[in-house]
């Protein structure tokens, strides 16, 4: 049996709905990957009694607890006290940590106030987990055969500490090692995918199958199998590739935008973009990736007919005859932006994102794409469903799918 | 005493970290606003025993439970069974719902399969809550003086049902009505804000004060007070406005981008944008808002020196003498894009988002802004901290702050 995990996030701001609990989500995902069972995730307020109650309850049903938040210097930070109470242990001042804290603060020209000293308090018998980013150290306690990790709440502090201290120690507890692979699809609906695979996808009881949607991109399938039986996974992977390989853009963690940017960077292929309904979203998705300035030459957002003609040089006759939302306009946008920015690839996107502006002939969600690679032009017509933002985001990923076809 | 609330989200996909629990966050935020105390948020797997256990435990410490997810038609959807078990009630088939389900499916040309019928099962004595978006109805049970709401998991179904059924019924339970106001700041650090207000912000024990950061925008202060004592809140508001009014851009829910777009739409002020480091993010933030085509004329993303000169007509001498990241370049970008798109306002943004490209003179995070309104140009220089994405997002909201100054 692999370990059962309880995850606890501490903080009034969570219970008041002021921030999303991204820590639990991260911890749960990473521990699931290595074969743990996450049996409960709990958010609890900054109250000693309540923290102690949750910790005691979860210790009854899990082998390992991951607790985050409430380790700071303010009066509201009571995780240390709550966990100590649950374990019936004392808090002791750690002189080494105190000295370090005082030094850190002095570097910033600050005095070490009473409440800051709280961060040097350690649950009796706990091991100190060093925090290289912030001031509050984490703690690790073994208690009646169970493991308890206490980590700071800010994700920039929690993530490196989780990777350094939690993952390796939990991994040691995993008796059955598992392999997980994620299959990422684009251009196919989840129902269609399921239909095409249903006769074998759930046929092997030794493989755990989860399907989900990567919002705006497409369906994903996650297969998990014990390492000794990886041949089962590979047998299934072969069948998946045979049946729906053309929609499978990656086996792994990376999404299509990251993959395509990597490919263009590697091959030094330059690109420019002319956007209408996506209004800069394709460009800003590209610019998310560092180093992209080597290949991204620039873009134009031509939101009106006037700017399509005047700024980008789309033929007024094209706009009159076919309309701004048409294959021909997309083609001219792609070719003209490519010429303007002197890039190898030019892309044009024009469509109707809604919520108004649709007609029976050109409904909301209709988007035309064109890609011009050194004079060779390909086009695509899509009809997306959903609200304004969904339509725009789907259009963005469709651009990357189009790139996949020409790269 | 206002009601104590327990929130439960059901679904393996939550515990596996595959999706973020946005429902709990939404429910907690909305109920906190009207004066409820959210005492626990729990995520539990699709297992009857575990759901029943969580429900029983939370009923001991809360007056109202809001449970979401696990109402669908698949074998994994076991919330009905779990809650029924906790309450020791039976599930009964509701013939009216069944008939409706069959009709809905027939419209889509589908047969009503056995597992779909599960959605017509109701906890004995429960009231049915109509779902106008999806197929699974919600349920409402009164049990030993407590109220239990069961809602479907997809947010598009949950939110309207929460607003229609949960909010008004919970509001009736609120004996002490509260007023909450949110004060939104930009251009000031949280520590500075606290420093300027600390002598009175926490001085009135009858006002609940929460401060937090609206990521990338700035600090917010939330004040909550009983309706009878709203004069206390107003007294404090007056002092806040006196001390830090220049940084206060809104009292309410709306963020600065939405506010500025509304103002431009109302006054019919047209705008165009030239972006470098933000790479289309300012434009796409504008285009998030429906109807923006009335005022947004378009934009240019000029990521290289070459395109700044060739596409946007920035003087090559300016680029040579002052550099691409300079006040002068931002000014020319703003004025030239305004001319190109014939808009009332033109905006230029140029900076270094990192993670490389910084120098001691022009470090990572340095961003210049210019805004040209009918020939009147204003500029701003900012030094942002954080990673690439943080710097870019902060730059986006800084543009809206600049707009605030000229609108």
């Amino acid at each position: 049996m692999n370990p059962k995990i309880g995850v606890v996030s501490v903080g009034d701001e969570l219970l008041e709905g002021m921030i999303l609990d991204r820590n639990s989500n991260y911890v749960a995902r990473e521990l699931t990957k290595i074969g743990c069972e996450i049996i409960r995730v709990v958010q609890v307020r900054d109250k000693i009694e309540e923290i102690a109650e949750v910790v005691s309850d979860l210790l009854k049903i899990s082998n390992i607890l991951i607790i985050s938040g409430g380790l700071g210097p303010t009066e509201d930070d009571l995780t240390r006290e709550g966990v100590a109470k649950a374990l019936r242990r004392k808090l002791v001042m750690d002189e080494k940590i105190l000295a370090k804290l005082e030094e850190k603060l002095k570097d910033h020209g600050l005095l070490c106030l009473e409440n800051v000293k709280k961060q040097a308090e350690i649950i009796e018998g706990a091991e100190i987990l060093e925090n290289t980013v912030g001031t509050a150290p984490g703690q690790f306690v073994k208690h009646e055969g169970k493991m308890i990790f206490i980590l700071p709440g800010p994700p920039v502090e929690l993530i490196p500490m989780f990777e350094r201290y939690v993952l390796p120690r939990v991994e040691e507890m995993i008796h059955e090692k598992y392999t997980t692979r994620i299959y990422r699809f684009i251009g196919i609906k989840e129902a269609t995918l399921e239909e095409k695979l249903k006769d074998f996808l759930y046929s092997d009881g030794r493989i755990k199958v989860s399907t989900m949607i990567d919002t705006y991109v497409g369906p994903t399938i996650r297969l998990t199998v014990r390492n000794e039986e990886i041949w089962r996974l590979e047998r299934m992977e072969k069948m998946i590739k045979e049946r729906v390989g053309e929609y499978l853009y990656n086996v792994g963690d990376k999404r299509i935008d990251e993959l395509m940017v990597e490919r263009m960077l590697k091959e030094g292929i330059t690109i420019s973009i002319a956007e209408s309904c996506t209004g800069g979203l394709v460009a800003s998705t590209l610019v998310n990736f560092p180093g992209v300035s080597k290949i991204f030459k620039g873009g134009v957002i031509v939101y009106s007919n006037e700017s399509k003609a005047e700024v980008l040089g789309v033929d007024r006759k094209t706009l009159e005859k076919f309309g701004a939302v048409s294959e021909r306009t997309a083609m001219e946008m792609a070719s003209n932006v490519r010429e303007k920015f002197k890039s190898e690839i030019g892309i044009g996107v024009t469509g109707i994102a809604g919520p108004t502006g649709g007609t029976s002939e050109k409904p909301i969600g209709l988007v035309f794409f064109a890609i011009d690679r050194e004079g060779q032009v390909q086009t695509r017509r899509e009809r997306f469903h959903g609200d304004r933002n969904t339509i725009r985001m789907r259009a963005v990923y469709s651009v990357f799918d189009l790139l996949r076809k020409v790269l």
Side-chain angles (χ1 to χ4, degrees), chain A:
Chain A
M1 285 290 286
N2 281 339
K4 290 184 196 301
I5 314 271
V7 181
V8 182
S9 295
V10 184
D12 286 353
E13 68 279 15
L14 296 165
L15 282 294
E16 290 173 2
M18 291 177 86
I19 62 167
L20 263 166
D21 182 11
R22 293 184 191 274
N23 285 344
S24 294
N25 182 257
Y26 166 77
V27 165
R29 187 170 59 241
E30 295 303 313
L31 292 179
T32 300
K33 270 189 203 162
I34 61 169
C36 295
E37 263 187 81
I38 317 299
I39 55 160
R40 205 67 50 88
V41 171
V42 181
Q43 294 168 14
V44 60
R45 296 191 286 187
D46 296 305
K47 294 196 192 302
I48 297 175
E49 286 295 338
E50 296 186 7
I51 297 167
E53 190 181 303
V54 167
V55 169
S56 301
D57 285 352
L58 286 185
L59 277 175
K60 287 177 200 144
I61 54 172
S62 49
N63 314 105
I64 299 173
L65 282 195
I66 320 283
I67 304 166
S68 71
L71 290 184
T74 78
E75 278 173 38
D76 290 345
D77 290 305
L78 297 168
T79 300
R80 281 173 291 260
E81 288 83 346
V83 179
K85 189 179 166 76
L87 306 183
R88 293 199 205 87
R89 299 195 190 197
K90 276 187 262 179
L91 284 177
V92 290
M93 184 65 75
D94 187 287
E95 296 299 331
K96 269 192 205 156
I97 300 181
L98 188 60
K100 262 193 210 164
L101 270 176
E102 281 173 340
E103 205 174 308
K104 246 188 198 172
L105 288 165
K106 213 161 54 185
D107 287 351
H108 291 80
L110 299 166
L111 283 172
C112 195
L113 301 165
E114 263 324 295
N115 54 0
V116 173
K117 288 187 183 165
K118 273 179 53 171
Q119 295 181 90
E121 285 182 350
I122 294 296
I123 294 167
E124 209 170 22
E127 178 189 337
I128 294 154
L129 308 178
E130 197 193 351
N131 181 345
T132 54
V133 180
T135 50
Q139 305 192 26
F140 172 63
V141 194
K142 284 194 178 176
H143 186 79
E144 296 173 359
K146 316 253 167 158
M147 289 160 70
I148 299 154
F149 294 90
I150 310 174
L151 302 173
V156 289
E157 300 177 24
L158 177 131
I159 292 171
M161 290 173 74
F162 178 85
E163 286 174 355
R164 184 165 166 197
Y165 298 109
V166 183
L167 261 190
R169 292 180 195 198
V170 175
E171 255 170 347
E172 271 181 32
M173 311 289 291
I174 305 273
H175 304 301
E176 296 185 343
K177 307 267 180 193
Y178 286 81
T179 294
T180 291
R181 283 195 198 155
I182 301 177
Y183 301 83
R184 296 177 177 271
F185 299 89
I186 190 166
I188 184 168
K189 288 206 169 69
E190 193 187 25
T192 316
L193 188 74
E194 285 255 1
E195 187 60 36
K196 282 182 190 274
L197 303 179
K198 68 175 179 193
D199 58 313
F200 72 89
L201 192 60
Y202 302 97
S203 64
D204 186 340
R206 313 285 292 176
I207 301 181
K208 187 177 174 212
V209 181
S210 328
T211 61
M212 66 168 291
I213 307 280
D214 186 354
T215 322
Y216 312 133
V217 182
T220 66
I221 295 174
R222 192 167 69 164
L223 304 181
T224 303
V225 72
R226 289 175 55 218
N227 277 2
E228 301 96 276
E229 299 187 299
I230 194 150
W231 58 273
R232 291 178 181 275
L233 188 148
E234 268 151 11
R235 184 176 64 179
M236 190 168 282
E237 177 170 315
K238 194 163 161 267
M239 288 170 82
I240 290 174
K241 284 181 175 168
E242 271 171 31
R243 295 266 185 96
V244 287
E246 61 182 305
Y247 307 103
L248 178 68
Y249 72 83
N250 191 21
V251 182
D253 276 334
K254 285 179 186 163
R255 220 169 44 183
I256 192 159
D257 46 340
E258 188 174 1
L259 273 182
M260 291 307 117
V261 168
E262 273 183 2
R263 201 171 297 171
M264 288 187 288
L265 276 170
K266 199 176 150 204
E267 298 177 21
I269 297 168
T270 57
I271 184 170
S272 58
I273 290 153
E275 304 183 56
S276 173
C277 59
T278 47
L281 264 182
V282 180
S284 63
T285 304
L286 277 174
V287 177
N288 279 338
F289 301 98
V292 79
S293 60
K294 289 189 197 76
I295 54 148
F296 179 48
K297 304 282 266 184
V300 181
I301 299 147
V302 280
Y303 215 60
S304 63
N305 273 8
E306 195 189 326
S307 62
K308 282 184 186 74
E310 291 217 354
V311 178
L312 199 56
V314 173
D315 195 333
R316 285 186 193 278
K317 281 183 205 142
T318 304
L319 292 168
E320 269 164 41
K321 193 170 169 194
F322 302 98
V325 179
S326 65
E327 187 182 28
R328 285 297 293 268
T329 299
M331 287 169 76
E332 288 190 34
M333 285 168 70
S335 300
N336 294 4
V337 79
R338 180 178 161 259
E339 213 167 284
K340 205 174 188 69
F341 285 90
K342 300 188 181 69
S343 57
E344 187 170 337
I345 289 175
I347 284 173
V349 186
T350 179
I352 303 160
T356 58
T359 63
S360 59
E361 204 186 325
K362 294 190 176 174
I364 288 170
L366 180 69
V367 183
F368 289 94
F369 303 87
I371 186 162
D372 180 339
R373 183 171 188 178
E374 296 182 317
Q376 297 279 71
V377 185
Q378 288 186 41
T379 63
R380 176 184 283 188
R381 177 189 190 280
E382 292 277 4
R383 170 77 199 280
F384 300 110
H385 295 274
D387 62 15
R388 178 180 177 82
N389 192 39
T390 303
I391 289 168
R392 292 170 66 219
M393 290 304 295
R394 294 210 161 120
V396 168
Y397 292 107
S398 205
V399 166
F400 288 99
D401 192 33
L402 209 58
L403 273 169
R404 180 169 77 100
K405 300 282 165 67
V406 304
L407 288 176

